[in-house]
Amino acid sequence: MSLNHTHPSPQPPARVVVLGAGGFLGRHFVQSLADGDIPVLALGSGEIDLSDAAAGAELKRRLQPSDALLFLSALTPDKGRTSATLMKNLAMARAVIEAVQAIDVAHLVYASSDAVYSFADPLISEATPSVPSDLYGAMHRTRELMLANEVKSPLALLRFSAVYGDGDTHNSYGPNRFIRQALKEGCISLGGDGEETRDHVYIDDAVALLKSVVMRRSTGMLNVVTGHSASFRSVAESVAAMAGRPVAIQATPRQSPITHRSFDIVNLIRAFPNMRFTPMQEGIAATIARTAEKASG
Amino acid sequence: MNAPVVGFAGMTHLGLISSSAVAARGFEVVCFDSDAALIERLRRQEWPILEPGFAELVRGNGKQQRFTSAATELAGCDVVYVAPDVPTDDQGRGDIAGLTRLIGDVVSAMNSTAVMVVLSQVPPGFTRALRVLPPQRLYYQVETLVFGIAVERATKPERYIVGCADPLAPIEPRFAAVLGAFGCPILPMRYESAELAKISINFCLTASVSVANTLAGLCERIGADWSEIAPALKLDRRIGLYAYLSPGLGLSGGNLERDLATVQRLAAAAGSEAGIVNAWLRNSTHCRNWPLRQIYERVLSRQDCPTIGILGVTYKENTHSIKNSPAVALIRELTSCTLRVFDPAVTASANWHSRMTVAEDPLAACDGIDALVIATPWPQFRALKPAELTRRMHGRVVIDPYSILERSAARAAGLEHIVLGAPQPVGAT
């Protein structure tokens, strides 16, 4: 279970179509292509509501066989954790499949999540069995299986760990929320004492890796992770140190057991041996600077 | 009773070593292989294996040990060992087709009273299913050959494990005479028990190595040092002085992998729990990738297209075998690097890597490189002086899983010296 490159060296696709172009990853990715020579069709929910019954036909109308199609859209847990959200997410995947079955695109890249793994195994690789513990993880795993079973186009499944950086729309627990809390309230609230460790990927690195996958027309599966996990407390301390104002870090009564998650990135090294990840301190500093810049500008 | 004449069929590693050890005990030994070209090389004393002490052992045997490609010469033997090494595939599955054919040929060539002993690596159930000879003339004997120290183990065995049709019946006198010449305990048991005993030994070794690998990996991250812990464990009687407690780069060589695959297959068919095998295999894969992770962390993530020196390509020291060699796997992985490679016994194949130079000696492999990996613990690498490495290398990273270099000397020479199970400098994986 790893990633293989169709092109030995980077080769731009005829066009990139981005589904979920209004989301955190999608916006940054589209922005990164803005200065390049690759034509982009950026589609957000405003352009196509993938959960709509007619979405498949509508997407089909817009696709060309030479396209690289990036499927980055999903309703994240902050939009709901219920079975209704699950079914809506699956309907979105069904629409993509319907379109791609009609227009065999040159490359399909699906942005999945490390939520497909359970917390029972603290060191994860692509070979780790997918045993999701919630509907969000089950949704991503189901979408992966739907695409793998029903799509003929060359397919890359990228399982992203927690991505952070400026412009995150989710406010999920971790660096982004900590930065917001620090800049706005001067106080970061931890779950318990923030003992859990997670692998946080800086948005620019996530985009760079996504771009590499598109340029090499890679197929297979890859965890998009740095290989370095940090505790939420250490992340909060880094944020507090760089916030430019006094920041208190508050522990709260623990609501759930402590879990850890680390990744073995050997397959990522094999696929992209020269990939360089932004150290957490630098990523946090850049996020704070960009967030402050946007707030002032 | 005259001293029995002993035959050996199959002149690969196992047959060569075992036959030579029996001849060294004063028995007349006939060494048969149908490969006439191989037999000619053996007669010229051109050995296809690398084992310390082997050439001297055979030389000392003189006319007691002779090589032949004529199966008919086995007719004069009282005891005939069938001892070809069983090849394994990428999944660790043994291919016993060649062994089965050879057994048929040997049965045809043996005299009507001779005893056959299967010495090759076979799965449980193999010997009883043969039905080629009356049970009292068919035995299975466990081999415990270890590459690199095979001569010592064959000439001074710890014990003999003998698979019999009926373990309560006395061992056939001529076979018993051969075994008795070595003066070690003899343990007769059912065929199936002996066949599984061989696998059981390898399971215990795998368990020990997996313990060492698991805890050495933890040591690297929490400031402990496995080299300090292992000696303490060996003084515990329940563990033992000779326990396999050195961490390594995963299972290699093919034998342990073969036995794990055999048990996985048998357990699946029998509905027996064997989940630990999967855990060992996963641990092995993780350990095999240790040098790649280190190179990424310390070199590849900082520098484009570095030049890496690799010392050693065999799967362990004192052997020519590259079966499942971690060093070869690493060479194949380093596609974005230029390589300089040296091994004392094997010349690296150009098929392994497109930008690889084979160096003439260890120091030549270090000239101008950005990082060095001492991938096989050949004893001669211990003579390398860290200060000389510093002088020759462009970079300072030395990935030395087996701690071939003296650690304090390496540090003193300014090397970033990375050892399995030792606390790692900041930034290590």
Side-chain angles (χ1 to χ4, degrees):
Chain A
M1 197 62 81
S2 58
L3 207 66
N4 297 302
H5 304 311
T6 307
H7 303 315
S9 56
Q11 205 170 303
R15 183 175 73 156
V16 177
V17 178
V18 180
L19 300 174
F24 177 39
L25 182 58
R27 260 187 300 112
H28 278 269
F29 183 73
V30 170
Q31 204 174 0
S32 78
L33 293 181
D35 302 331
D37 299 329
I38 307 172
V40 186
L41 175 61
L43 300 173
S45 55
E47 285 75 32
I48 297 183
D49 178 0
L50 286 174
S51 63
D52 188 86
E58 175 58 23
L59 179 59
K60 178 179 125 186
R61 200 178 59 74
R62 294 176 183 240
L63 287 180
Q64 295 165 8
S66 56
D67 284 339
L69 176 62
L70 272 60
F71 181 13
L72 311 183
S73 343
L75 298 171
T76 46
D78 54 305
K79 305 276 194 326
R81 295 174 177 274
T82 64
S83 56
T85 311
L86 167 74
M87 298 314 288
K88 215 168 172 183
N89 267 318
L90 297 185
M92 292 162 73
R94 182 62 218 137
V96 172
I97 288 168
E98 187 187 326
V100 175
Q101 280 177 335
I103 308 289
D104 227 353
V105 292
H107 192 197
L108 175 59
V109 180
Y110 175 58
S112 184
S113 162
D114 69 343
V116 300
Y117 300 113
S118 84
F119 283 103
D121 195 333
L123 182 64
I124 291 168
S125 74
E126 289 77 5
T128 303
S130 169
V131 186
S133 55
D134 61 17
L135 291 181
Y136 181 68
M139 176 275 289
H140 273 300
R141 183 61 188 138
T142 307
R143 280 175 157 197
E144 288 179 355
L145 291 170
M146 290 166 69
L147 294 169
N149 287 326
E150 298 190 55
V151 167
K152 285 186 190 154
S153 302
L155 174 65
L157 303 174
L158 304 181
R159 292 173 171 173
F160 286 84
S161 181
V163 180
Y164 72 97
D166 65 293
D168 177 23
T169 53
H170 306 123
N171 200 32
S172 52
Y173 180 64
N176 288 325
R177 188 191 294 178
F178 294 168
I179 289 169
R180 281 198 190 102
Q181 288 178 333
L183 296 181
K184 209 169 171 184
E185 302 157 21
C187 178
I188 297 171
S189 178
L190 294 173
D193 198 29
E195 299 96 330
E196 293 95 336
T197 53
R198 296 289 186 274
D199 191 312
H200 302 283
V201 183
Y202 184 50
I203 183 68
D204 288 3
D205 299 334
V207 166
L209 211 137
L210 190 53
K211 209 190 260 182
S212 297
V213 168
V214 170
M215 299 291 271
R216 304 286 289 273
R217 199 187 287 175
S218 311
T219 60
M221 183 188 289
L222 192 72
N223 293 327
V224 181
V225 293
T226 69
H228 291 279
S229 289
S231 71
F232 286 112
R233 167 156 291 271
S234 71
V235 172
E237 286 171 350
S238 296
V239 170
M242 286 182 271
R245 59 175 289 184
V247 175
I249 299 174
Q250 281 183 346
T252 60
R254 174 158 291 287
Q255 303 295 318
S256 53
I258 295 170
T259 55
H260 298 289
R261 179 164 278 183
S262 293
F263 288 86
D264 181 347
I265 63 163
V266 156
N267 282 335
L268 190 146
I269 297 170
R270 287 179 178 131
F272 302 108
N274 297 113
M275 177 71 202
R276 287 162 198 174
F277 288 99
T278 307
M280 172 68 83
Q281 304 267 345
E282 283 177 33
I284 287 173
T287 306
I288 290 173
R290 287 184 191 177
T291 305
E293 194 181 305
K294 279 181 186 167
S296 65
Chain B
M1 184 180 74
N2 292 331
V5 177
V6 184
F8 276 85
M11 285 297 107
T12 53
H13 204 130
L14 178 62
L16 281 168
I17 294 286
S18 307
S19 61
S20 305
V22 170
R25 290 283 166 175
F27 295 96
E28 182 185 344
V29 172
V30 178
C31 299
F32 161 75
D33 196 292
S34 60
D35 183 343
L38 170 65
I39 292 299
E40 277 310 307
R41 288 200 300 278
L42 297 177
R43 284 175 175 158
R44 291 195 300 269
Q45 305 209 340
E46 292 172 12
W47 308 123
I49 61 171
L50 176 66
E51 278 295 342
F54 175 68
E56 295 82 351
L57 179 69
V58 182
R59 222 173 7 251
N61 288 338
K63 291 183 177 171
Q64 290 288 120
Q65 183 179 15
R66 68 176 192 275
F67 297 95
T68 180
S69 57
T72 50
E73 291 200 40
L74 295 174
C77 298
D78 300 293
V79 177
V80 181
Y81 281 88
V82 184
D85 288 293
V86 172
T88 54
D89 64 13
D90 290 345
Q91 307 298 313
R93 289 177 297 228
D95 179 2
I96 53 173
L99 170 65
T100 307
R101 271 195 305 276
L102 181 60
I103 287 173
D105 294 344
V106 170
V107 167
S108 303
M110 286 166 58
N111 69 56
S112 60
T113 64
V115 171
M116 174 183 279
V117 184
V118 176
L119 190 61
S120 301
Q121 309 87 357
V122 299
F126 177 87
T127 313
R128 195 176 297 278
L130 275 176
R131 302 181 197 283
V132 291
L133 287 169
Q136 64 274 17
R137 288 175 54 210
L138 179 63
Y139 291 90
Y140 165 73
Q141 182 180 319
V142 172
E143 60 85 10
T144 52
L145 180 144
V146 177
F147 278 47
I149 53 170
V151 168
E152 188 192 340
R153 288 183 63 80
T155 53
K156 298 173 196 160
E158 295 145 320
R159 75 291 193 229
Y160 280 132
I161 302 166
V162 179
C164 318
D166 176 7
L168 298 179
I171 292 177
E172 203 280 342
R174 294 167 296 173
F175 179 34
V178 176
L179 298 176
F182 287 82
C184 65
I186 299 168
L187 301 155
M189 58 186 75
R190 297 167 54 86
Y191 291 136
E192 293 81 359
S193 299
E195 290 159 342
L196 192 57
K198 164 67 186 165
I199 291 173
S200 305
I201 292 166
N202 283 344
F203 262 52
C204 287
L205 300 179
T206 304
S208 300
V209 169
S210 300
V211 165
N213 284 339
T214 300
L215 296 175
L218 187 58
C219 284
E220 291 167 16
R221 289 163 182 269
I222 65 167
D225 191 329
W226 183 250
S227 72
E228 295 170 346
I229 296 169
L233 300 185
K234 290 185 175 187
L235 289 174
D236 189 313
R237 287 196 191 102
R238 297 164 299 175
I239 299 170
L241 277 179
Y242 301 102
Y244 266 33
L245 291 177
S246 298
L249 301 180
L251 305 177
S252 54
N255 290 336
L256 301 182
E257 300 93 307
R258 177 202 59 229
D259 288 348
L260 297 186
T262 298
V263 169
Q264 277 186 319
R265 181 171 51 77
L266 290 174
S272 178
E273 206 289 315
I276 196 166
V277 177
N278 290 334
W280 287 337
L281 289 171
R282 196 170 73 156
N283 179 264
S284 171
T285 303
H286 184 75
C287 293
R288 171 164 298 231
N289 293 326
W290 184 87
L292 180 61
R293 286 193 295 273
Q294 296 295 341
I295 290 174
Y296 173 75
E297 192 70 24
R298 297 176 178 283
V299 188
L300 290 176
S301 66
R302 301 173 188 174
Q303 182 183 347
D304 289 331
C305 305
T307 300
I308 310 287
I310 309 276
L311 294 184
V313 301
T314 54
Y315 91 90
K316 62 186 284 193
E317 70 278 22
N318 294 325
T319 181
H320 64 290
S321 173
I322 57 168
K323 179 81 178 177
N324 292 351
S325 164
V328 176
L330 177 66
I331 288 170
R332 291 181 188 277
E333 298 272 22
L334 295 175
T335 51
S336 65
C337 307
T338 300
L339 303 183
R340 296 178 65 81
V341 179
F342 172 78
D343 186 276
V346 171
T347 302
S349 164
N351 294 331
W352 297 344
H353 198 282
S354 60
R355 294 196 310 281
M356 179 177 69
T357 307
V358 176
E360 288 181 358
D361 60 64
L363 284 175
C366 300
D367 283 333
I369 59 175
D370 297 297
L372 174 66
V373 183
I374 306 178
T376 309
W378 282 95
Q380 47 267 61
F381 296 158
R382 293 189 188 281
L384 293 170
K385 300 275 184 284
E388 177 69 4
L389 296 182
T390 306
R391 199 176 65 73
R392 287 181 177 250
M393 290 172 59
H394 178 259
R396 292 291 169 265
V397 174
V398 175
I399 295 163
D400 180 11
Y402 308 101
S403 194
I404 293 298
L405 302 184
E406 209 279 307
R407 281 157 63 175
S408 57
R411 271 199 305 274
L415 296 174
E416 193 177 344
H417 187 222
I418 316 300
V419 171
L420 268 174
Q424 298 199 354
V426 176
T429 54

